[in-house]
Amino acid sequence: MKGALATLVLATAILAGGSAAGQVWRAPRTVAGQPDLQGVWSYNSLTRLERADRYSAVVIGEEEARAVTPPPLIPPDETGQAESETYDAEGLELARVNGEIRTAWIVEPPDGRLPLTAEARARAQAPPTFDGPETRRNQERCLMMPNVGPPIATAIYNNNLQILQTRDHVVILMEMNHEARIVPLGRPPHGPLHRWMGDSVGWWEGDTLVVETTRLTPAQGLRASPAGALYLSPDAVITERFRRISPAQILYGYTVVDAANYTRPWRGEMPLTATRERMFEYACHEGNYSLPNILAGARAQERAIAAQPRP
């Protein structure tokens, strides 16, 4: 509550002190003359990747938004357990983009849903496996969190990122699992290797930073979390756009092209809001008992089944 409220107060104060009526706001410049995107930005929100059934549309009115209280629970996971959507849900609201209340980050297709192919949908509905660590999700193995991008997606906590700039590079540092993408500018060719978070290159189109990413490692093909899940093949192309639209906000948009998983390109957008909160270390491996306990529980179930008398 405290962090979300501080972010809201900061955004309101800065916007209230903006340029005079009729003047077009222009992003400040770095010493290299580029639009300055630097700072710590929050994307904490009740909005999720896909539109939930409880909402009538991607864009809803004030009355429908107020009706969603208390914050709904995340659907139960594979163990049957459910969590609240965020550890700090009190005081959070659905995101507003260009004054519109958004129930999903996805805006194309207009239904706010991923346009999955039949094969991708079958993979998404396949039962989980517990044979060994290799089949478990990356976040359980402390390898890569599903929200760090590209594209960036909301998590249930640690929804902050920091942007750093030089003349030739932009660094996007995620608070979740301290992942950092170093993006070379000038639109250099993509490298030959598949990488965690893919191979990113960037360039400026006016005041908009464009980042194109492809060659994701196959091990990052599934991005599954309580806040949303998606698939990305190694040949997927994700094009992100960062444009500072006010002293307090960056409009972040992206397009995903991946014929291996989707019947058409799809597009999303979210606001990144300035915050005075600090970035904190995310230490996943320290005290992480989830993976050994998950596998130990599976082995215990197997022993119990084997011990049952056979008919």
Side-chain angles (χ1 to χ4, degrees):
M1 173 66 176
K2 181 180 178 182
L5 183 58
T7 298
L8 179 60
V9 170
L10 173 64
T12 303
I14 295 177
L15 287 172
S19 59
Q23 293 183 342
V24 177
W25 185 84
R26 185 171 183 264
R29 262 44 185 175
T30 66
V31 293
Q34 300 165 345
D36 193 348
L37 306 178
Q38 297 180 106
V40 178
W41 307 88
S42 171
Y43 49 100
N44 210 18
S45 169
L46 293 181
T47 303
R48 293 294 179 252
L49 178 67
E50 293 189 89
R51 177 180 63 83
D53 290 336
R54 60 182 175 268
Y55 299 117
S56 62
V58 171
V59 179
I60 61 173
E62 298 283 352
E63 184 175 348
E64 184 174 353
R66 284 195 299 269
V68 186
T69 53
L73 295 178
I74 294 172
D77 62 17
E78 60 202 16
T79 67
Q81 300 297 311
E83 307 178 64
S84 75
E85 284 198 341
T86 172
Y87 290 132
D88 192 19
E90 184 181 357
L92 288 183
E93 297 179 344
L94 293 169
R96 295 174 185 262
V97 181
N98 296 325
E100 298 176 340
I101 301 174
R102 300 285 178 87
T103 64
W105 301 131
I106 295 176
V107 293
E108 291 180 10
D111 64 358
R113 306 288 177 83
L114 289 168
L116 293 168
T117 63
E119 294 81 4
R121 193 171 300 280
R123 287 198 300 272
Q125 296 172 349
T129 59
F130 299 87
D131 295 339
E134 297 82 3
T135 62
R136 298 309 303 163
R137 296 172 178 174
N138 290 329
Q139 59 265 40
E140 292 174 359
R141 302 164 66 190
C142 292
L143 293 175
M144 184 67 56
M145 298 302 166
N147 68 299
V148 300
I152 298 167
T154 319
I156 58 174
Y157 49 78
N158 291 94
N159 290 300
N160 291 325
L161 63 86
Q162 184 174 8
I163 297 178
L164 304 168
Q165 293 174 242
T166 69
R167 181 186 300 275
D168 301 317
H169 292 83
V170 172
V171 180
I172 304 169
L173 174 64
M174 308 298 295
E175 186 173 48
M176 178 68 84
N177 214 34
H178 51 265
E179 308 293 354
R181 267 195 291 158
I182 301 176
V183 182
L185 300 178
R187 202 169 190 172
H190 288 285
L193 301 178
H194 292 86
R195 303 179 178 182
W196 292 107
M197 298 184 289
D199 183 81
S200 296
V201 299
W203 63 93
W204 290 99
E205 292 183 359
D207 282 3
T208 300
L209 172 66
V210 182
V211 179
E212 181 184 84
T213 303
T214 188
R215 297 179 184 167
L216 294 155
T217 177
Q220 204 181 0
L222 170 62
R223 310 276 188 86
S225 77
L230 59 91
Y231 287 88
L232 291 170
S233 76
D235 296 325
V237 178
I238 305 102
T239 304
E240 302 166 283
R241 294 177 178 271
F242 298 79
R243 181 170 61 88
R244 193 164 178 180
I245 58 176
S246 77
Q249 203 165 77
I250 291 173
L251 179 60
Y252 169 68
Y254 55 88
T255 301
V256 176
V257 179
D258 186 5
N261 289 302
Y262 305 104
T263 60
R264 54 164 290 181
W266 57 276
R267 185 173 66 86
E269 57 185 17
M270 68 164 60
L272 307 178
T273 303
T275 176
R276 290 195 177 100
E277 295 293 329
R278 294 181 296 160
M279 297 277 285
F280 286 92
E281 179 187 7
Y282 189 93
C284 185
H285 278 289
E286 297 180 11
N288 179 24
Y289 306 115
S290 63
L291 186 59
N293 287 346
I294 287 168
L295 297 178
R299 303 293 83 77
Q301 288 179 334
E302 292 167 354
R303 289 192 296 270
I305 293 172
Q308 293 177 357
R310 297 182 178 181

